[in-house]
Amino acid sequence: MDLAPRLLGAVLTHETDEGRVAVRLAEVEAYGGVGEDPGSHAYRGMTRRNGVMFGEPGHLYAYFTYGMHVCLNLVTGHPGAASAVLLRGGTVVEGLELARSRRPGASDRDLARGPARLGLALGVPLSADGDDLLAAPYSLWLPSAPPVSARGPRTGVSGAGGGADFAWRFWLPDDPGVSAYRRHRRAVG
DNA sequence: CGTGAGATCGCCT
DNA sequence: GGCGATCTCACGT
């Protein structure tokens, strides 16, 4: 969770046959390990889906949700810790044409603004689960100085013991790549 | 611009 | 069998 705000301003690049797209991260959320974070996929231990979370840091944890969307996380903890950072949004800084072709109809601002959209713009499929994000065809550039960041409760996580109270969402204030805050549909209160 | 509902299926209980 | 780390579109302001 200490690492999460350091990813703000970082640039994640993915290269395919079609070309290269890079996104500058503007919004992330941290998720913790077994028994410590009720909002985390790792809360109840290792399962078929979340196995990558328990592995090496720097790898990609990609999962399928809501019957139609893929979300991307960077594993941040040591093996077994099962902590990860959900990449929630950013702006395309390279490969704009390619990103546009992958998201027909979307405005430039919306290309990678949102967890599922970000993966679509980068062209990272569910099958990339487990990939090393620090090696080709990916690259991750981190800014030398930690950026000024804002923090608040996580989006999309339900209340009632679901970990909604954890203020583990971090973003770059006023950055256009920050997704619209939407509380969970079933959030209480 | 904000709210709300539907889509759609794998995962876990 | 219920629900989700979401997105898009429709509609009211």
Side-chain angles (χ1 to χ4, degrees), chain A residues 16-139:
Chain A
T16 66
D17 300 346
E18 302 176 309
R20 187 157 57 178
V21 170
V23 168
R24 181 168 48 85
L25 302 178
E27 182 185 0
V28 299
E29 274 176 10
Y31 285 86
V34 180
E36 71 171 353
D37 176 9
S40 172
H41 287 169
Y43 184 60
R44 292 177 181 80
M46 188 161 68
T47 64
R48 173 146 72 262
R49 174 172 64 164
N50 67 19
V52 173
M53 284 185 82
F54 290 77
E56 293 290 330
H59 285 236
L60 173 71
Y61 168 45
Y63 67 88
F64 180 73
T65 190
Y66 287 104
M68 65 195 91
H69 294 303
V70 174
C71 296
L72 310 182
N73 299 248
L74 176 69
V75 177
T76 53
H78 61 80
S83 52
V85 173
L86 171 68
L87 310 182
R88 286 198 54 90
T91 52
V92 174
V93 294
E94 185 182 347
L96 196 53
E97 294 291 325
L98 178 53
R100 284 174 180 149
S101 74
R102 285 170 172 160
R103 306 231 35 236
S107 68
D108 285 357
R109 186 192 178 206
D110 283 346
L111 287 176
R113 181 175 171 254
R117 296 162 165 182
L118 188 147
L120 290 174
L122 283 171
V124 176
L126 179 61
S127 59
D129 184 42
D131 282 3
D132 183 359
L133 291 181
L134 307 182
Y138 307 91
S139 76

